[in-house]
Amino acid sequence: MEICALFKANIDFRHVLNYDWFKDSSSRTESIILIDSFHFTEFCNQVEQYGFPDRKKVGLNTFQLQAPLKHFSGLLFFKNERADFFIKKWKWLMPYIKDAALNGSIPYGFYRYLLDQEIIAALQEYGRDEDVAFFSKFHLNY
């Protein structure tokens, strides 16, 4: 229930955002980063406490994982120490996500997209070759 509530809050936040509530697009972006940072950290805490929310735990609701995981990958697009914090979290989380793809809780296509187009692409953009090498170990034979 906590995981479902977290994902609902992550999506709902995006639906209620109105540009009129922010002085500029930069402040809107910062609010999204703040919410995603909190939700990603909370998600990792939930996984640590209860395990990854695979089909055995949440049933067919695992499709709800896709949008928040994509949102959380946006936290890798920093060039400073903020990126280090989120990269460390993603490194910890990747074995769980890979297992979810292997057991059918996350579709292979989404897993491939998340890994290649979101995570590895962000790290390549900022020349983080060591981190790219780490995440490349999680490729599956599709």
Side-chain angles (χ1 to χ4, degrees):
M1 292 301 289
E2 292 175 31
I3 293 289
C4 288
L6 180 77
F7 290 134
K8 183 170 176 14
N10 184 269
I11 299 302
D12 287 350
F13 179 75
R14 284 167 167 73
H15 288 296
V16 299
L17 287 180
N18 182 330
Y19 283 98
D20 295 338
W21 298 349
F22 302 96
K23 71 177 183 176
D24 54 30
S25 64
S26 176
S27 60
R28 181 178 187 268
T29 300
E30 280 300 315
S31 71
I32 291 172
I33 291 168
L34 176 68
I35 292 297
D36 284 349
S37 299
F38 173 75
H39 287 161
F40 184 51
T41 302
E42 180 61 23
F43 176 70
C44 290
N45 291 340
Q46 294 291 325
V47 170
E48 187 173 15
Q49 186 173 359
Y50 302 112
F52 194 85
D54 60 17
R55 284 200 173 155
K56 291 178 186 175
K57 292 183 181 84
V58 298
L60 296 177
N61 290 331
T62 57
F63 75 91
Q64 294 177 341
L65 299 171
Q66 294 178 44
L69 287 173
K70 182 184 180 315
H71 298 156
F72 300 156
S73 69
L75 298 169
L76 297 171
F77 283 93
F78 291 108
K79 296 180 185 179
N80 54 26
E81 62 279 351
R82 285 172 105 179
D84 295 335
F85 174 80
F86 294 116
I87 289 169
K88 184 177 177 182
K89 289 277 190 196
W90 271 104
K91 285 181 176 181
W92 175 84
L93 189 60
M94 274 314 293
Y96 294 101
I97 296 173
K98 181 179 180 181
D99 287 346
L102 290 171
N103 72 29
S105 294
I106 294 176
Y108 273 16
F110 174 75
Y111 178 81
R112 181 176 36 230
Y113 167 80
L114 181 68
L115 181 61
D116 292 335
Q117 302 302 314
E118 295 291 329
I119 297 170
I120 290 177
L123 297 170
Q124 285 174 330
E125 185 173 330
Y126 297 116
R128 298 189 71 123
D129 297 335
E130 186 177 314
D131 296 318
V132 169
F134 173 86
F135 284 101
S136 293
K137 295 185 290 187
F138 289 92
H139 281 115
L140 299 175
N141 295 329
Y142 304 104

